[in-house]
């Protein structure tokens, strides 16, 4: 099915927006988990998970905004996400963050596999997607290791 350049770019932006939303949820969940942990574990969470997730979130938002601006496509503003229920324990919130990271990875993979990426995307968009993927790919393993150490 044929589509216009604008439709192709919008499809790419929609997929990237989904990844940004998932990353925002992961950041919020990790922030809530941080508040429930002892200082040493909280510092480890910040270093190993929160910081990289926040960097990926910022890079994904910047990639989205810059691509939209370069091509005159109306973008959208991203709102802060809320973590899971306030009653959730740190382990559950970290699991929620891992689910958000997984959702972001899936959304980014879909954008990277989209034929429109080659047809109407550009090198800067491809580089931004690859950078975000590079940041988030190892985080699920780090989260599992951190959760395994909780309560010891």
């Amino acid at each position: 099915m044929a589509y216009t350049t604008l439709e192709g770019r919008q499809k790419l932006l929609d997929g990237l927006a989904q990844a940004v939303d998932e990353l925002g949820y992961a950041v919020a969940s990790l922030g809530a988990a941080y508040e429930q942990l002892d200082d040493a574990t909280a510092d480890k969470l910040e270093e190993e998970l929160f910081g990289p997730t926040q960097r990926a979130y910022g890079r994904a938002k910047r990639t989205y905004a810059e691509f939209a601006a370069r091509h005159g496509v109306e973008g959208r503003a991203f709102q802060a996400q809320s973590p899971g229920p306030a009653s959730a324990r740190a382990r559950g919130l970290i699991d929620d963050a891992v689910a958000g990271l997984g959702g972001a990875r899936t959304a980014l993979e879909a954008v990277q596999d989209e034929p429109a990426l080659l047809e109407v995307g550009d090198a800067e968009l491809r580089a931004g997607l690859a950078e975000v993927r590079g940041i988030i790919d190892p985080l699920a393993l780090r989260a599992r290791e951190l959760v395994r150490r909780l309560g010891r």
Side-chain angles (χ1 to χ4, degrees):
M1 178 165 92
Y3 59 86
T4 67
T5 299
L6 179 60
E7 290 169 335
R9 288 183 176 140
Q10 189 60 58
K11 187 170 188 171
L12 295 173
L13 285 170
D14 290 346
L16 182 51
Q18 182 181 353
V20 171
D21 286 338
E22 294 283 357
L23 288 168
Y25 179 71
V27 167
S29 295
L30 291 170
Y34 178 92
E35 298 299 324
Q36 296 184 15
L37 297 170
D38 62 84
D39 289 344
T41 307
D43 289 345
K44 200 70 148 157
L45 176 109
E46 183 172 6
E47 176 187 332
E48 294 181 7
L49 297 174
F50 183 79
T53 302
Q54 194 171 40
R55 260 192 326 280
Y57 178 61
R59 180 63 170 118
K61 286 188 346 179
R62 187 170 69 246
T63 298
Y64 178 97
E66 290 173 353
F67 181 73
R70 273 193 310 275
H71 298 289
V73 179
E74 186 173 336
R76 65 171 257 216
F78 294 97
Q79 304 300 318
Q81 300 285 326
S82 297
S87 62
R89 301 182 57 82
R91 183 179 309 249
L93 290 164
I94 295 169
D95 288 343
D96 289 348
V98 169
L101 290 166
R105 185 171 197 261
T106 299
L108 291 169
E109 286 172 348
V111 172
Q112 289 178 311
D113 289 343
E114 179 60 47
L117 183 61
L118 295 175
E119 296 166 358
V120 298
D122 57 26
E124 292 89 351
L125 175 63
R126 288 188 292 277
L129 295 171
E131 184 178 347
V132 174
R133 282 281 308 275
I135 295 169
I136 66 172
D137 280 350
L139 296 183
L141 179 60
R142 290 183 195 167
R144 279 195 297 275
E145 290 296 317
L146 184 72
V147 166
R148 193 173 55 92
R149 292 188 305 254
L150 287 177
R152 287 186 180 193

